[in-house]
Amino acid sequence: RYSSLWKHDKQSLLEKFVKTNPTYVDYEDKLSYYKKMKIQINSERPVTDIDFIQVSCHPLIADLNREVDGWMTVIGKTMHDNAKLQAISLNDTIADKRDKLNKVPEDLEALKAMMRLVAEIREKTPEMEERFTLVEEQWRTLHMF
């Protein structure tokens, strides 16, 4: 039932997953899957009776939990790195626009360019807000797990 935890190579499987350009919801689904698996593992009976012998499953449960934690860590780190790159990109975009807006126009052409920049910023505001929301959702998801 839990063989998938150690059958597959984490890095290669994660690389395939990342190539599909997953959304934060896809990451959240993966993390939820492993969280549920961990709950299921911890609900297993730690001691099993086989005829007149008692078998302790504590070491097996601990190893399974370590594997689940490993998967969740790798997935979470990948999601974190992705969210960080998106946040840096947003910050760079804002800093670039701010720097351009802080310049004092020297002539009419520079003033026109600044007005076009203001119009461009207004036009792209909904897109930027959406990008901010996606980054916020990724951080929220990471804090849940």
Short mmCIF file of all heavy atoms in Angstrom, two decimals, residues 53-86:
data_model
loop_
_atom_site.label_atom_id
_atom_site.label_comp_id
_atom_site.label_asym_id
_atom_site.label_seq_id
_atom_site.Cartn_x
_atom_site.Cartn_y
_atom_site.Cartn_z
N ILE A 53 2.78 -14.75 18.37
CA ILE A 53 3.89 -13.79 18.30
C ILE A 53 3.32 -12.38 18.12
O ILE A 53 2.40 -12.16 17.34
CB ILE A 53 4.82 -14.11 17.10
CG1 ILE A 53 5.45 -15.48 17.27
CG2 ILE A 53 5.89 -13.04 16.96
CD1 ILE A 53 6.26 -15.92 16.07
N GLN A 54 3.92 -11.43 18.82
CA GLN A 54 3.57 -10.03 18.64
C GLN A 54 4.67 -9.37 17.82
O GLN A 54 5.85 -9.46 18.15
CB GLN A 54 3.46 -9.30 19.99
CG GLN A 54 2.10 -9.40 20.61
CD GLN A 54 1.97 -8.42 21.77
OE1 GLN A 54 2.94 -8.03 22.38
NE2 GLN A 54 0.74 -8.05 22.05
N VAL A 55 4.26 -8.71 16.75
CA VAL A 55 5.21 -8.03 15.88
C VAL A 55 5.06 -6.52 16.07
O VAL A 55 3.97 -5.98 15.89
CB VAL A 55 4.98 -8.41 14.39
CG1 VAL A 55 5.94 -7.65 13.49
CG2 VAL A 55 5.09 -9.90 14.19
N SER A 56 6.16 -5.87 16.44
CA SER A 56 6.14 -4.42 16.61
C SER A 56 6.38 -3.75 15.26
O SER A 56 7.36 -4.03 14.58
CB SER A 56 7.23 -4.00 17.60
OG SER A 56 7.30 -2.59 17.63
N CYS A 57 5.49 -2.86 14.92
CA CYS A 57 5.59 -2.14 13.65
C CYS A 57 6.08 -0.70 13.85
O CYS A 57 6.09 0.10 12.91
CB CYS A 57 4.24 -2.13 12.93
SG CYS A 57 3.67 -3.77 12.47
N HIS A 58 6.51 -0.37 15.07
CA HIS A 58 6.98 0.99 15.36
C HIS A 58 8.10 1.43 14.42
O HIS A 58 8.03 2.55 13.86
CB HIS A 58 7.43 1.11 16.82
CG HIS A 58 6.31 1.05 17.81
ND1 HIS A 58 5.40 2.06 17.95
CD2 HIS A 58 5.95 0.08 18.69
CE1 HIS A 58 4.52 1.74 18.88
NE2 HIS A 58 4.83 0.52 19.34
N PRO A 59 9.14 0.60 14.19
CA PRO A 59 10.21 1.04 13.27
C PRO A 59 9.70 1.25 11.84
O PRO A 59 10.11 2.19 11.16
CB PRO A 59 11.23 -0.10 13.32
CG PRO A 59 10.95 -0.82 14.60
CD PRO A 59 9.48 -0.66 14.85
N LEU A 60 8.79 0.38 11.39
CA LEU A 60 8.23 0.53 10.05
C LEU A 60 7.43 1.81 9.94
O LEU A 60 7.57 2.57 8.96
CB LEU A 60 7.35 -0.68 9.70
CG LEU A 60 6.62 -0.62 8.37
CD1 LEU A 60 7.61 -0.52 7.21
CD2 LEU A 60 5.72 -1.83 8.20
N ILE A 61 6.60 2.09 10.93
CA ILE A 61 5.80 3.32 10.93
C ILE A 61 6.72 4.54 10.94
O ILE A 61 6.48 5.51 10.21
CB ILE A 61 4.82 3.32 12.11
CG1 ILE A 61 3.72 2.26 11.87
CG2 ILE A 61 4.20 4.70 12.31
CD1 ILE A 61 2.80 2.02 13.05
N ALA A 62 7.78 4.49 11.72
CA ALA A 62 8.73 5.62 11.76
C ALA A 62 9.40 5.81 10.40
O ALA A 62 9.55 6.96 9.93
CB ALA A 62 9.78 5.38 12.84
N ASP A 63 9.80 4.72 9.76
CA ASP A 63 10.43 4.82 8.43
C ASP A 63 9.46 5.36 7.39
O ASP A 63 9.83 6.18 6.54
CB ASP A 63 10.98 3.47 7.98
CG ASP A 63 12.25 3.08 8.71
OD1 ASP A 63 12.87 3.97 9.34
OD2 ASP A 63 12.63 1.90 8.65
N LEU A 64 8.22 4.90 7.43
CA LEU A 64 7.21 5.39 6.49
C LEU A 64 6.97 6.89 6.71
O LEU A 64 6.85 7.65 5.74
CB LEU A 64 5.90 4.62 6.64
CG LEU A 64 5.91 3.17 6.14
CD1 LEU A 64 4.62 2.46 6.53
CD2 LEU A 64 6.11 3.12 4.63
N ASN A 65 6.92 7.30 7.97
CA ASN A 65 6.75 8.74 8.26
C ASN A 65 7.92 9.55 7.74
O ASN A 65 7.73 10.65 7.21
CB ASN A 65 6.58 8.96 9.77
CG ASN A 65 5.15 8.78 10.22
OD1 ASN A 65 4.23 9.21 9.55
ND2 ASN A 65 4.97 8.14 11.35
N ARG A 66 9.13 9.02 7.85
CA ARG A 66 10.31 9.73 7.32
C ARG A 66 10.22 9.87 5.80
O ARG A 66 10.56 10.91 5.25
CB ARG A 66 11.60 9.00 7.70
CG ARG A 66 12.25 9.52 8.96
CD ARG A 66 13.65 8.99 9.15
NE ARG A 66 13.71 7.54 9.32
CZ ARG A 66 13.46 6.90 10.46
NH1 ARG A 66 13.12 7.58 11.53
NH2 ARG A 66 13.55 5.59 10.52
N GLU A 67 9.76 8.82 5.14
CA GLU A 67 9.62 8.88 3.68
C GLU A 67 8.57 9.91 3.28
O GLU A 67 8.78 10.70 2.34
CB GLU A 67 9.26 7.51 3.10
CG GLU A 67 10.42 6.56 3.01
CD GLU A 67 11.50 7.04 2.05
OE1 GLU A 67 11.18 7.52 0.95
OE2 GLU A 67 12.69 6.94 2.43
N VAL A 68 7.43 9.91 3.96
CA VAL A 68 6.37 10.89 3.67
C VAL A 68 6.90 12.30 3.91
O VAL A 68 6.70 13.20 3.08
CB VAL A 68 5.11 10.62 4.52
CG1 VAL A 68 4.14 11.78 4.43
CG2 VAL A 68 4.43 9.34 4.09
N ASP A 69 7.60 12.48 5.02
CA ASP A 69 8.17 13.80 5.31
C ASP A 69 9.17 14.22 4.23
O ASP A 69 9.22 15.39 3.84
CB ASP A 69 8.87 13.79 6.68
CG ASP A 69 7.90 13.71 7.84
OD1 ASP A 69 6.70 14.00 7.64
OD2 ASP A 69 8.34 13.35 8.95
N GLY A 70 9.94 13.25 3.73
CA GLY A 70 10.88 13.54 2.64
C GLY A 70 10.17 14.03 1.40
O GLY A 70 10.59 15.00 0.76
N TRP A 71 9.08 13.34 1.03
CA TRP A 71 8.31 13.76 -0.14
C TRP A 71 7.73 15.16 0.07
O TRP A 71 7.79 16.01 -0.82
CB TRP A 71 7.19 12.76 -0.43
CG TRP A 71 7.65 11.57 -1.20
CD1 TRP A 71 7.96 10.35 -0.69
CD2 TRP A 71 7.87 11.49 -2.61
NE1 TRP A 71 8.36 9.50 -1.70
CE2 TRP A 71 8.32 10.18 -2.89
CE3 TRP A 71 7.74 12.38 -3.66
CZ2 TRP A 71 8.62 9.74 -4.17
CZ3 TRP A 71 8.04 11.95 -4.94
CH2 TRP A 71 8.48 10.64 -5.18
N MET A 72 7.15 15.40 1.24
CA MET A 72 6.54 16.69 1.50
C MET A 72 7.59 17.81 1.51
O MET A 72 7.33 18.91 1.03
CB MET A 72 5.76 16.65 2.83
CG MET A 72 4.51 15.81 2.73
SD MET A 72 3.58 15.72 4.27
CE MET A 72 2.88 17.36 4.33
N THR A 73 8.77 17.50 2.01
CA THR A 73 9.85 18.50 2.03
C THR A 73 10.28 18.86 0.63
O THR A 73 10.44 20.04 0.29
CB THR A 73 11.04 17.97 2.85
OG1 THR A 73 10.61 17.72 4.20
CG2 THR A 73 12.19 18.94 2.85
N VAL A 74 10.47 17.86 -0.21
CA VAL A 74 10.91 18.10 -1.59
C VAL A 74 9.86 18.89 -2.37
O VAL A 74 10.18 19.85 -3.08
CB VAL A 74 11.25 16.76 -2.29
CG1 VAL A 74 11.47 16.95 -3.77
CG2 VAL A 74 12.47 16.13 -1.65
N ILE A 75 8.61 18.51 -2.22
CA ILE A 75 7.53 19.21 -2.92
C ILE A 75 7.40 20.64 -2.39
O ILE A 75 7.29 21.59 -3.16
CB ILE A 75 6.19 18.44 -2.77
CG1 ILE A 75 6.27 17.11 -3.51
CG2 ILE A 75 5.02 19.28 -3.28
CD1 ILE A 75 5.15 16.14 -3.17
N GLY A 76 7.45 20.78 -1.07
CA GLY A 76 7.35 22.11 -0.46
C GLY A 76 8.50 23.02 -0.86
O GLY A 76 8.30 24.20 -1.14
N LYS A 77 9.71 22.47 -0.93
CA LYS A 77 10.87 23.28 -1.32
C LYS A 77 10.72 23.74 -2.77
O LYS A 77 11.02 24.90 -3.09
CB LYS A 77 12.17 22.50 -1.15
CG LYS A 77 13.40 23.33 -1.49
CD LYS A 77 14.68 22.57 -1.32
CE LYS A 77 15.92 23.34 -1.65
NZ LYS A 77 15.82 24.46 -2.56
N THR A 78 10.26 22.86 -3.63
CA THR A 78 10.06 23.23 -5.03
C THR A 78 9.01 24.33 -5.14
O THR A 78 9.19 25.30 -5.89
CB THR A 78 9.65 22.00 -5.86
OG1 THR A 78 10.65 20.99 -5.71
CG2 THR A 78 9.49 22.34 -7.32
N MET A 79 7.93 24.18 -4.40
CA MET A 79 6.88 25.21 -4.41
C MET A 79 7.41 26.52 -3.85
O MET A 79 7.13 27.59 -4.39
CB MET A 79 5.67 24.73 -3.60
CG MET A 79 4.50 25.66 -3.67
SD MET A 79 3.13 25.00 -2.74
CE MET A 79 1.87 26.16 -3.18
N HIS A 80 8.19 26.44 -2.78
CA HIS A 80 8.79 27.63 -2.18
C HIS A 80 9.69 28.35 -3.18
O HIS A 80 9.62 29.57 -3.33
CB HIS A 80 9.58 27.24 -0.94
CG HIS A 80 10.35 28.36 -0.34
ND1 HIS A 80 11.65 28.64 -0.71
CD2 HIS A 80 10.01 29.28 0.59
CE1 HIS A 80 12.07 29.70 -0.03
NE2 HIS A 80 11.10 30.10 0.77
N ASP A 81 10.54 27.58 -3.86
CA ASP A 81 11.46 28.18 -4.84
C ASP A 81 10.69 28.85 -5.97
O ASP A 81 11.05 29.95 -6.41
CB ASP A 81 12.40 27.12 -5.41
CG ASP A 81 13.39 26.58 -4.38
OD1 ASP A 81 13.53 27.20 -3.30
OD2 ASP A 81 14.00 25.53 -4.65
N ASN A 82 9.61 28.22 -6.41
CA ASN A 82 8.77 28.79 -7.47
C ASN A 82 8.11 30.09 -6.99
O ASN A 82 8.13 31.09 -7.71
CB ASN A 82 7.72 27.75 -7.89
CG ASN A 82 6.91 28.21 -9.07
OD1 ASN A 82 7.38 28.93 -9.92
ND2 ASN A 82 5.66 27.76 -9.13
N ALA A 83 7.56 30.07 -5.79
CA ALA A 83 6.91 31.27 -5.25
C ALA A 83 7.93 32.39 -5.06
O ALA A 83 7.64 33.56 -5.32
CB ALA A 83 6.21 30.95 -3.94
N LYS A 84 9.13 32.03 -4.63
CA LYS A 84 10.18 33.02 -4.42
C LYS A 84 10.57 33.69 -5.74
O LYS A 84 10.71 34.91 -5.80
CB LYS A 84 11.40 32.36 -3.78
CG LYS A 84 12.51 33.30 -3.44
CD LYS A 84 13.65 32.57 -2.76
CE LYS A 84 14.82 33.49 -2.50
NZ LYS A 84 15.95 32.78 -1.89
N LEU A 85 10.72 32.88 -6.80
CA LEU A 85 11.04 33.44 -8.11
C LEU A 85 9.95 34.39 -8.60
O LEU A 85 10.25 35.45 -9.15
CB LEU A 85 11.27 32.32 -9.13
CG LEU A 85 12.56 31.54 -9.02
CD1 LEU A 85 12.57 30.37 -10.00
CD2 LEU A 85 13.76 32.44 -9.26
N GLN A 86 8.71 34.00 -8.39
CA GLN A 86 7.59 34.86 -8.81
C GLN A 86 7.58 36.16 -8.01
O GLN A 86 7.34 37.24 -8.56
CB GLN A 86 6.27 34.12 -8.66
CG GLN A 86 6.09 33.00 -9.66
CD GLN A 86 4.78 32.24 -9.45
OE1 GLN A 86 3.84 32.75 -8.86
NE2 GLN A 86 4.73 31.02 -9.94
#
